[in-house]
Every structure is written in C-alpha cells, then in structure tokens.
C-alpha cells in the first residue's frame, strides 16, 4: 500500500511541475508576442504619420542607445560630468538589450 501511495504522490508532483512549466512558457510566449506586436504597431503608426520624423526619431534613439552602450563598456576611471545622461542612456541600453534577448528567446519559440 505504501508503494502505491508513494508512486501516486510522485506522479502527482510530476504532473503539477509539468503543467506549471507549460503554463509559464505559454504566458512568456504570449507576453513576447504581445510586445513584438506592440512595437510593430508603434512603428507602423509612426511611419504612417510622418516617415521623416520616424527616421529622425529612430536615429536619435540609435544615438541614445550607442551612448548607453559606450557608457556601459567604457573605462570607469574616465567618468566625468554628465552622469545623469550616462545613467539614463545606460538604463535605456540595458532595457533595450534585455527586451531584445527576451523577444529573441520567446518570440521566435
């Protein structure tokens, strides 16, 4: 009788763990697809409003991210003034990099 109870308990734990992993994977995949769809909609609406402003905004955002990457990987002894801009661009770069990795892993399945 103990063997049957132990086997049933093991099966129950396995099923709960498996179902939990499947639900978590579905939630993360749905979140990644919703994020990608939102970014695509934002780009489409921006382009339909004004292609020139869209390109200018993308260029400024690219410069902002480049500054964030430079501030992240530069030698810390050279840090002088303008720490707020460096902190903001580093945070933006980190957030964008994390979002890109998240979309790469879960959006493409």
């Amino acid at each position: 009788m103990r063997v049957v109870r132990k086997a049933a308990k093991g099966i129950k734990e396995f099923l709960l763990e498996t179902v939990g992993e499947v639900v978590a994977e579905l939630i993360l995949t749905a979140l990644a697809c919703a994020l990608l769809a939102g970014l695509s909609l934002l780009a489409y609406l921006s382009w339909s409003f004004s292609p020139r402003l869209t390109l200018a905004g993308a260029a400024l955002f690219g410069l902002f991210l480049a500054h964030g990457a430079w501030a992240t990987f530069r030698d810390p002894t050279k840090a002088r003034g303008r720490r707020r801009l460096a902190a903001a661009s580093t945070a933006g770069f980190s957030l964008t990099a994390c979002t890109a990795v998240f979309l790469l892993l879960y959006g493409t399945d």
Side-chain angles (χ1 to χ4, degrees):
M1 207 56 167
R2 287 184 178 180
V3 174
V4 173
R5 287 182 187 167
K6 189 175 181 180
K9 186 177 178 181
I11 292 171
K12 177 184 171 185
E13 290 176 2
F14 172 76
L15 286 176
L16 284 175
E17 184 178 335
T18 303
V19 169
E21 287 179 6
V22 168
V23 168
E25 185 71 28
L26 286 174
I27 290 171
L28 286 175
T29 301
L31 182 63
C33 289
L35 181 61
L36 188 60
L39 290 173
S40 300
L41 179 65
L42 180 69
Y44 173 75
L45 291 175
S46 174
W47 186 265
S48 66
F49 176 70
S50 173
R52 289 181 183 165
L53 284 178
T54 302
L55 291 176
L60 285 175
F61 188 64
L63 286 173
F64 180 74
L65 291 179
H67 184 266
W70 174 76
T72 300
F73 298 115
R74 71 178 173 177
D75 189 18
T77 60
K78 295 182 181 179
R80 295 184 185 161
R82 299 183 182 163
R83 293 183 183 175
R84 290 182 185 157
L85 177 62
S89 62
T90 300
F93 171 72
S94 300
L95 181 66
T96 304
C98 290
T99 302
V101 169
F102 175 72
L103 287 175
L104 180 68
L105 294 177
Y106 288 101
T108 59
D109 200 31

